[in-house]
Amino acid sequence: MLISLFITCYNDTLFPGTGKSVVRVLERLGHTVEFREQQTCCGQMHYNTGYHPEAVTIMKKFVADFWDAEVVVIPSSSCVAMIRDHYPKMAKEAGLEKEVEALVPKVFEFTEFLTDKLGITDVGATYPHSVTMHTSCHALRSLHCEDRPQRLLKAVRGLDYLELPASDQCCGFGGTFAIKNAEVSTAMLSEKMKAVLSTGAEVCTGSDNSCLMHIGGGLTRQRGTARCVHIAEILASEEGDQ
Amino acid sequence: MSIRVGESAQAATFPKAAKKLLQNTQLRRNVRRATDTIRGKRAKVVDEMPDWQALRTAAQQIKKRTLRNLDSYLVQFEKACAEAGGKVHWARDADEANAIVVGIIQSHNQKEVIKVKTMTSDETRLNHALEAAGISPYETDLADLIIQLGNDKPSHIVVPALHKNKSEIRQIFMEQMGLKELGHAPEDLAGAARNFLRERFLRVKVGFSGANFAVAETGSVCVVESEGNGRMCVTLPDVLITMFGVEKIVPTFDDLEVFLQLLPRSATGERMNPYNSIWTGVTPGDGPKEFHVILLDNGRTKVLADEESRETLHCIRCAACLNACPVYRQTGGHAYGSIYSGPIGAILTPQLQGMQHSTTLPYASSLCGACYEVCPVKINIPEILIHLRRKIVESGGAALTERMGMAVAGYTLADSGRLGTAQKLVQLGRQPLDAIGLPGWSAARDLPEIPKQTFREWWKSSRGGK
Amino acid sequence: MSTAREEILQRVRTAIGTQAPEEPVQREYRQAGTLSEEAKIDLFIDRLHDYNAEVYRCAAGEEAVTIAEALTARGKKRILIPPGFPAALLPTGPDFVRDTALDYRDIDATEGALTCATAAIAMTGSLILTHSATEGRRALTLIPDYHLCVVYTNQLFETVPEGLRALGGRRTSPVTTIAGPSATADIEMTRVKGVHGPRVLDVIVVAAG
Ligand code: SF4
């Protein structure tokens, strides 16, 4: 399958390792990955903060960049949620209904692409660490990921999976929320960190680097014992990597 | 016009109020404990309902139908209620509503009124108006009594005194009821309220209530409660005044079968609340001899006019969204500066009161979606929050730095070349990130190391731009 | 100047505007029960026990003895009854006071009330009163601290929709649904029994003859 990778703007800039891991997993599974270099962003930050016209401009660009892709894989639940939940309505205003309607079903979040589209849970990874998982709100409530990421993790050799308590609680990131309401966000973050540390896991993973950056940023500040790693990086790991 | 939502027009901004409340560890512990309890109970009784989603869908459709034909349902209700012996009044705003209530009580030469928990009367600040007219309002709901005696503000729409624990409540009761002794068990506190109010229930000649539902078809009014104080207020006095927002109408009596299943399970995690009172006008030989209804607008028609957010009016005030909200969990209800707190407050207060008074409320959410998931009438609160943010931005209500940041980001993200240039700047230093206001972030979190190479650079170098 | 009524209705009409045609209300929730008669009664009793109500079961014709048993168990001697409560159901022994036009304070001074019901709902453990002559006016089952209610199995429905629809023409009489004794969850969200309404509720379930 020819898979078009939408890396997302912040993964591109801040977490290139996640993108490399996605490429590694998909190629290992025998697929071809393309990267359309004109791509930028899904428009989520603008949309969620109330900057609608800007978001529409970015959506138009996304549609122009990917309309003819076979499938688009995105290592970020929140960007997929943006596209699935909001593009159809925005498209009406932009007169792009047909294009968006055709494109949306071809867009997948990375882990759901593996389990649902490719029907795979064992991606041939080895990761000899104890791991807990933060399910981001978008993965949980918009993508309805259920236990798909956990199934992938449990198939990884050497990985010791530890359940996160109160896993349906938001970590407090919420994009500009973490800045506009920094104190409340910090209070939410402390609860999340407490939960992560209570598992004793070495690694906290997830399908959204935004949440992981938030939790991880708190953990390093506190010199916590756990670090945050995107699920793609775990699934890419092979014997000898660690 | 004096649209008023309690004292929300004078309230501090959300981040400011929240910051202060976050220091109150006792309050936060109380809120966390109470919301954890109620969430657990709700989940249990919702999970046992195989048709929960079907009920939610039906409720949403009934509410949509109601709003779509609200004018005719209001007229239908008015007619049916009048035929059953009720008198219907209409109030455009808070002052008009309060004046009607005061007028009715004065026409009977009464100086006291017993009240069952009514959000709309908190909205209009009725107690304030009554006191100004020399009339004593007695709150009879246990939590409202705690608030009234403790001279406090409600922090939750179902359990207004949720921020108080039992020893704090005991303290208030002992001081305000003049009790020398009082047990520590919740039963003892409930018993104290029973003794304190019993004489008033038997004495006071005017009762005041809100309504959870009003049936257009029959002119019936429904009050959902637990303690029996509601039954006391709507049954024992000679004169009963019931006030509710125009959106509380449901078309048919059978529609109650949907809401009376959704509400108790969502609100208190019970299969059914102890009491529902449904009455239609006046019944000779049973209950009040005179029954007044006040249909309140107070900004509701403004909400109705906005197609994108009118479903805010579907709300049945169950507070499930508050209990589920991770933001509310941290701050409690006072941070919202309104009698309507939590996610529903964040969308309702600005729309009723006017956006200019509460521009920070629509941002008091991480958009996690927990509210939408539990809402029994399926109000898409995150969508409405975003819609209101858009309205704030469009009316120039956002900070200049934010607008500039967003404009720059929008310009940058419209072109991959520009994005590449910006990424270079980010790599050179953290300036661009800090410039849009990251200090709040950095107080408690580290920013990640900025990688030397972006993904697109890696792709280009390793794949030759293939 | 237009009246508030006209102005509000006009605002509503303007706000609604012209809209797409009305969507039908899909009532795909459960509108009828599926349990057997015995399972339905068991469920009802189970729910009542959840509320700490004492439940008695008897056959038609045994009401009087069962009422006597319930009142003795609670030590009640002087009980209010609605004007139309069937005399045939009353045991000898306790003192029954028929409510004609008693003052609220007189009602407050009694030990409890004994009534029939219009319907009951098994799933929620609810009794529904429409305050007919056998159920009494609302104050009767509100002011006293004890309520003993006699309900027949042919009045019992499994689901909420069935129970409410069974009211038929009596739905515009005053309706009170009662699920357990009065309670509050206002103190730390825990259900505490007994606030202003009757603090004790007992139910006699009579097998309909
Ligand atoms: S918005 Fe929904 S969940 Fe929140 S109080 Fe209203 S009905 Fe309940």
Side-chain angles (χ1 to χ4, degrees), chain B residues 119-160:
Chain B
M119 300 294 301
T120 45
S121 80
D122 292 337
E123 222 180 87
T124 65
R125 297 193 69 210
L126 174 65
N127 288 1
H128 192 75
L130 290 171
E131 279 159 8
I135 299 164
S136 306
Y138 303 135
E139 295 293 348
T140 65
D141 191 74
L142 185 52
D144 279 330
L145 183 65
I146 297 166
I147 299 290
Q148 193 177 36
L149 294 179
N151 204 4
D152 200 349
K153 288 199 171 87
S155 73
H156 188 275
I157 60 181
V158 169
V159 191

Side-chain angles (χ1 to χ4, degrees), chain B residues 157 314-322 344 371 374-377 379 381:
Chain B
I157 60 181
H314 293 186
C315 177
I316 57 172
R317 308 282 190 265
C318 73
C321 59
L322 281 69
I344 182 63
C371 47
V374 296
C375 178
V377 291
I379 301 175
I381 296 177

